[in-house]
Amino acid sequence: MNLSLEEKQRITHLIEEGIMRSTDRLGKMSKTEWAVMSSSTNEVPAVRMLSWFQRSKDEHVAVHFRSGEGVPLDFLIIFSEKSAQSVTGAVTKPYAAKLDGFANLMELTIGEVSNIVAQSVIGAMADEFDKTIILSIPEVHRGPKASLLGVVLEAYDGREDVLLMSHVEMFSEDLSADCAMVIIVNADVLHELVRNQKPN
Amino acid sequence: MGFRILIVDDSPVLRVMLTDMLQALGHEVVGEGESVKSGLAAFIATKPDLVTLDVSLPDGNGLDLLQMIRKHDPNARAVMVTGNDQVALEKRALSLKALGVLHKPFDVEELSALIQKAAPFIRPRPAA
């Protein structure tokens, strides 16, 4: 289902506002300054997104969130293995000795970092639409990009949902990381939210 | 003054970080919960002076848990510690008489400021 140009601009603006919020929070977590080098958001057909993701066979780490109440949506954040490792190293450094015993430290840390990023983006939408959106706890998956996308596409219904993809490149002096975000949201809910958004 | 504090958060990494900060501030972490169910059980078992509640939990949310805790102990004192910074959610937490909301990520100074602000409303209780 397609968004109108106005709806697309509105949603893109909110996602990008959320991404800017998330760099401040990432900076605080990793004790280094982050900047967004590039960011783009597009409504993409599922088939095209899958074929784009199939280009990379490398291992990636993906974190999946759902929201039920009020605004049902699925949210997936995908990091390359290298990005996931460097972000984990930066965030856990001050607590390295105490976190040493966790066998799955990267998954746990990327889950928490993605939670912060996802909450920033969802928070920008929720505030604009005067709603409360509570995300599920993070579910972390590893594998090639296309199979990770499959995790959220299971929830996608082409007749009723909108599929948005944001590609974000973030950079800090000490490390570089990039991630992709995929958001699936019910089109009727999105139309209604944009129609009823609170006045600026 | 040091308080006896219970942490409820699904993330073990966050629980380690929060425990470290609370101990550095002179508080005692008396228990941990990772869900609504384990958080409620830990609250009943430890009777903490203060409970920190995450919003997103695997079997529900921290706001519902706060209401359950209140049913068990109307004088329970709680702060929300969450990555969720939505205005409507913060209003809802304060309407449930949470003593404050701390947004993740936070540093030890912000945590200290929140506890200091809440301190006049916290009555230390004997351990369970």
Side-chain angles (χ1 to χ4, degrees):
Chain A
M1 193 172 274
N2 296 328
L3 294 176
S4 70
L5 182 62
E6 191 194 348
E7 286 169 331
K8 201 183 290 183
Q9 285 172 342
R10 193 77 218 124
I11 294 301
T12 301
H13 171 76
L14 288 174
I15 290 173
E16 298 196 350
E17 188 186 311
I19 289 166
M20 293 311 292
R21 276 198 210 181
S22 72
T23 56
D24 293 342
R25 295 169 127 200
L26 272 177
K28 211 166 166 185
M29 280 187 101
S30 59
K31 309 263 186 293
T32 180
E33 204 165 308
W34 287 79
V36 174
M37 301 306 285
S38 71
S39 164
S40 62
T41 301
N42 294 293
E43 190 183 1
V44 185
V47 176
R48 194 181 303 164
M49 197 185 287
L50 259 176
S51 95
W52 172 255
F53 275 26
Q54 268 163 354
R55 287 180 177 193
S56 168
K57 305 288 179 206
D58 297 340
E59 186 91 344
H60 284 68
V61 182
V63 187
H64 180 207
F65 301 90
R66 290 186 189 89
S67 116
E69 206 178 295
V71 185
L73 54 82
D74 277 70
F75 198 108
L76 188 77
I77 302 183
I78 305 176
F79 290 86
S80 67
E81 177 95 8
K82 196 177 158 202
S83 294
Q85 277 171 353
S86 60
V87 171
T88 300
V91 170
T92 58
K93 199 173 168 189
Y95 305 92
K98 288 180 178 161
L99 295 170
D100 205 25
F102 288 103
N104 52 348
L105 184 59
M106 184 170 80
E107 285 83 351
L108 291 171
T109 307
I110 288 301
E112 193 56 27
V113 168
S114 299
N115 184 36
I116 305 283
V117 174
Q119 297 284 8
S120 302
V121 174
I122 296 300
M125 286 186 182
D127 288 351
E128 182 71 16
F129 301 134
D130 203 17
K131 294 269 182 197
T132 301
I133 305 175
I134 297 180
L135 292 180
S136 64
I137 62 163
E139 281 172 32
V140 184
H141 304 270
R142 292 179 77 150
K145 254 179 150 179
S147 71
L148 294 172
L149 181 64
V151 171
V152 286
L153 286 182
E154 278 175 22
Y156 174 68
D157 181 337
R159 292 161 301 179
E160 294 181 354
D161 296 331
V162 171
L163 192 55
L164 298 165
M165 188 176 90
S166 297
H167 185 259
V168 189
E169 280 183 275
M170 291 180 279
F171 172 81
S172 84
E173 266 183 37
D174 303 322
L175 55 147
S176 64
D178 63 288
C179 67
M181 283 186 238
V182 178
I183 303 172
I184 296 175
V185 59
N186 179 277
D188 288 341
V189 172
L190 204 53
H191 294 319
E192 199 184 320
L193 288 175
V194 173
R195 231 183 0 251
N196 298 331
Q197 71 185 81
K198 59 180 190 187
N200 290 323
Chain B
M1 180 182 209
F3 295 117
R4 299 173 59 258
I5 298 177
L6 168 68
I7 298 171
V8 182
D9 196 297
D10 64 288
S11 166
V13 170
L14 199 284
R15 294 199 302 270
V16 167
M17 292 176 175
L18 188 51
T19 299
D20 192 67
M21 289 184 198
L22 288 168
Q23 287 172 343
L25 292 169
H27 303 292
E28 181 191 357
V29 176
V30 293
E32 293 182 6
E34 58 181 20
S35 61
V36 169
K37 192 179 170 193
S38 65
L40 184 60
F43 182 86
I44 293 167
T46 61
K47 290 189 181 162
D49 302 328
L50 179 70
V51 54
T52 73
L53 297 171
D54 190 7
V55 171
S56 296
L57 294 169
D59 54 352
N61 69 65
L63 297 170
D64 292 342
L65 175 56
L66 177 54
Q67 288 178 301
M68 288 178 204
I69 287 174
R70 279 273 149 66
K71 275 187 190 159
H72 185 79
D73 177 356
N75 296 317
R77 300 289 186 255
V79 291
M80 309 304 296
V81 178
T82 173
N84 189 321
D85 64 351
Q86 297 165 28
V87 174
L89 186 123
E90 187 156 341
K91 281 185 194 161
R92 212 168 131 194
L94 297 177
S95 75
L96 293 170
K97 296 192 169 53
L99 294 175
V101 180
L102 183 60
H103 298 129
K104 298 175 189 173
F106 52 86
D107 54 32
V108 72
E109 287 79 19
E110 288 164 310
L111 179 63
S112 174
L114 176 80
I115 294 176
Q116 277 180 25
K117 198 176 141 201
F121 305 98
I122 304 171
R123 197 181 314 152
R125 298 188 284 186

